[in-house]
């Protein structure tokens, strides 16, 4: 929401009350005004620091792709355990990622950008 009409209070209300950044992390994120400040706040959490370490400010739009890759790898790891219902959630989330990949490929083909097909694919393994 950086660069939008949302105030800091509006941003603060958008955050959930759980997760690795809950509480102080969300307060700090609500106060951020640019990408470097967001990076500084999120890199405090080791799980998210790996996603931010691979992108620069020029590639800020690729942040969602980095988090999709991180999530997909975790979802695949859930299949290595047994006796839990998390695999059903993982299965459906991986199917959603497969649909996103197919939509990306279809858009690249329809726009005659076949050389960019691999830029948007998220392959979890």
């Amino acid at each position: 929401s950086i660069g939008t009409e949302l105030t800091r209070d509006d941003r603060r209300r958008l955050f959930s009350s759980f997760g690795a950044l809950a509480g102080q992390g969300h307060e700090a994120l609500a106060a951020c005004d640019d990408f470097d400040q967001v990076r500084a706040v999120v890199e405090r959490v080791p799980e998210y620091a790996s996603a931010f370490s691979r992108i620069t400010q020029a590639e800020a739009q690729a942040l969602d792709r980095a988090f999709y890759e991180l999530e997909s790898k975790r979802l695949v790891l859930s299949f290595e355990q047994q006796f839990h219902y998390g695999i059903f959630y993982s299965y459906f989330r991986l199917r959603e990622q497969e649909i996103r990949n197919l939509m990306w490929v279809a858009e690249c083909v329809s726009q005659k950008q076949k050389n960019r097909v691999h830029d948007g694919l998220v392959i979890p393994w």
Side-chain angles (χ1 to χ4, degrees):
S1 65
I2 295 174
T4 63
E5 298 175 0
L6 290 175
T7 64
R8 290 183 179 177
D9 291 331
D10 292 337
R11 281 190 250 168
R12 192 173 293 118
R13 283 182 279 198
L14 291 174
F15 294 122
S16 61
S17 61
F18 59 90
L21 291 170
Q24 295 177 349
H26 288 166
E27 293 295 323
L29 278 177
C32 293
D33 292 325
D34 65 355
F35 182 76
D36 291 328
Q37 291 175 343
V38 172
R39 178 188 294 262
V41 169
V42 175
E43 283 184 340
R44 295 179 197 161
V45 179
E47 320 168 327
Y48 300 146
S50 65
F52 268 91
S53 66
R54 291 182 285 167
I55 56 174
T56 63
Q57 186 170 358
E59 301 172 321
Q61 68 274 9
L63 182 61
D64 59 341
R65 182 169 184 248
F67 279 113
Y68 279 139
E69 288 176 358
L70 184 65
E71 179 189 22
S72 295
K73 288 179 183 176
R74 285 187 181 166
L75 293 172
V76 168
L77 289 177
S78 72
F79 287 98
E80 294 181 1
Q81 300 172 1
Q82 51 186 325
F83 302 117
H84 64 89
Y85 294 109
I87 59 171
F88 296 109
Y89 175 79
S90 297
Y91 173 78
F92 286 111
R93 293 293 294 179
L94 287 170
R95 294 298 285 183
E96 288 175 5
Q97 183 59 50
E98 183 180 8
I99 291 168
R100 277 193 291 271
N101 285 344
L102 289 172
M103 292 296 293
W104 175 261
V105 170
E107 287 293 323
C108 287
V109 169
S110 70
Q111 296 175 10
K112 295 180 177 40
Q113 297 288 325
K114 294 180 183 176
N115 56 338
R116 294 196 57 217
V117 168
H118 294 291
D119 294 345
L121 291 180
V122 175
I123 302 171
W125 42 82

